[in-house]
Structures are given as C-alpha cells and as structure tokens.
Amino acid sequence: MIATRKRRDTERLRHVVDCLPYETRVAMLQGLQRYDRIIVGAYSDRSGGVCPMLAAHRCGGRTDFRSFARAWDRFTGAGRRARKASEREVRALCTQLEASLWREDELRAEIAGLARGDLRPPTPDAAPEREQGGAWLRPFRRWDGYREAVAAALRQLAGRELEPDPVENREEELVGR
C-alpha cells in the first residue's frame, strides 16, 4: 500500500509539473541548480533554504501555483516542520522538469514542422501498425518477465501469420456461390 501511495504521489507531482507554464519550469530548473538548500514543508526557512517554487520565482518564473506546493509536499512526505529536501527528491524533481520540457520542445518542433510543411500529418493508411502495436509491452522490473512477454508476442505474431485471413476466405466463399 505504501508503494502504491508513493507511486500515486509521484504521478501527481508529474502531472502538476506538466501543468506549470513553460517559463516557470525553466526557471525552476535553474533555481534548483542555483540554490544549495532546497526545502520541503515551507516556502523558506531561517537557514536560507527555499522551496522549488520560490527558487523558480527568484529566477524569473513569476507564477503562483499552489497545487505544485501541495504535490511537492506530498511527494516528499513533508511533516509539520520544514526540512532540507534529500538529494533523491531534488533529483526526481529535476528529472521530471527536464522530461516535461523535453516533451514540450518536441511537440513545439513537430507543430512548427507541420506549419512549415516539412512534416505531413499521419494518414490513416500510414499508421496501421501503431493501432495494432502501440504500447503493447508494459514496463518490467525483471529481465525474465520481459523475455517471456516478448516470446509470447512473437508466438502470437507467428500464429497470426499461419492463420488464413477470414476476409479472404469469406470473399472466396461468396464468389464460389
């Protein structure tokens, strides 16, 4: 149950980070790199520690996003008193910020490419393998589980190739009448 709660808190933080304005995410990343003492459970402390939102504010990200503070405190398990964020907690936030910025940059580049005419939008005929395949394989913690899933997928694919196409059989049956 604790792992499920931690995963839920991590997902909540990721969603809130994705909702932050682009400039705020950039400023927060700069602030996390600039300030040595990042804290949880408060906006600032007497030792000069700052929360990630204050660090972003000081680096030019002028946004008031209370849901980030709540998600950050839940993710870190902040208690009643402010404390210094662990290196793992700060690294996790940096990683989420970088991934969010990377996704948005990729999306902006794709939209710009579409606007210039460099890229064509996918046609329905060009993406049948995405519909059939897509994210068919879930993440695995162990190599043997991954190996078994790939083997099952290959067996399933080989089975499809051996089976006759039901549409072709139906057409032959109708033509034969």
Side-chain angles (χ1 to χ4, degrees):
M1 178 161 155
I2 293 174
T4 304
R5 186 171 17 147
K6 197 65 170 166
R7 190 172 342 177
R8 186 178 62 236
D9 293 342
T10 303
E11 282 295 312
R12 183 176 293 139
L13 181 64
R14 187 182 62 78
H15 288 301
V16 171
V17 164
D18 285 341
C19 291
L20 288 170
Y22 184 85
E23 292 77 19
T24 302
R25 285 179 276 166
V26 171
M28 188 176 291
L29 196 55
Q30 290 171 351
L32 292 175
Q33 293 167 355
R34 180 185 296 176
Y35 293 98
D36 293 332
R37 187 166 163 79
I38 301 296
I39 62 168
V40 302
Y43 198 60
S44 64
D45 66 1
R46 294 179 184 183
S47 303
V50 296
C51 76
M53 191 55 80
L54 180 56
H57 183 77
R58 289 181 178 174
C59 291
R62 308 274 190 239
T63 304
D64 180 21
F65 215 77
R66 294 186 198 280
S67 58
F68 173 81
R70 285 190 295 272
W72 171 246
D73 286 344
R74 281 194 73 120
F75 171 74
T76 58
R80 294 182 180 264
R81 306 188 102 197
R83 67 169 174 83
K84 184 176 186 217
S86 71
E87 186 179 328
R88 183 195 66 82
E89 292 165 341
V90 173
R91 193 173 348 124
L93 180 58
C94 285
T95 303
Q96 289 185 359
L97 286 165
E98 288 169 352
S100 179
L101 290 169
W102 179 78
R103 283 190 300 270
E104 189 160 334
D105 288 342
E106 290 289 315
L107 183 62
R108 286 181 182 193
E110 189 173 325
I111 290 171
L114 286 171
R116 285 191 313 266
D118 295 347
L119 303 173
R120 285 185 234 142
T123 61
D125 298 336
E129 65 185 50
R130 174 176 261 172
E131 292 171 10
Q132 292 175 359
W136 59 271
L137 194 59
R138 67 184 191 279
F140 290 91
R141 293 184 183 265
R142 296 178 46 129
W143 173 251
D144 55 335
Y146 173 76
R147 186 178 51 230
E148 290 170 11
V150 169
L154 291 174
R155 283 193 304 273
Q156 183 181 8
L157 182 61
R160 276 193 204 157
E161 291 173 358
L162 296 176
E163 294 176 3
D165 190 4
V167 175
E168 288 180 23
N169 289 343
R170 183 70 178 142
E171 288 176 3
E172 291 174 8
E173 184 178 300
L174 291 174
V175 171
R177 284 189 176 172

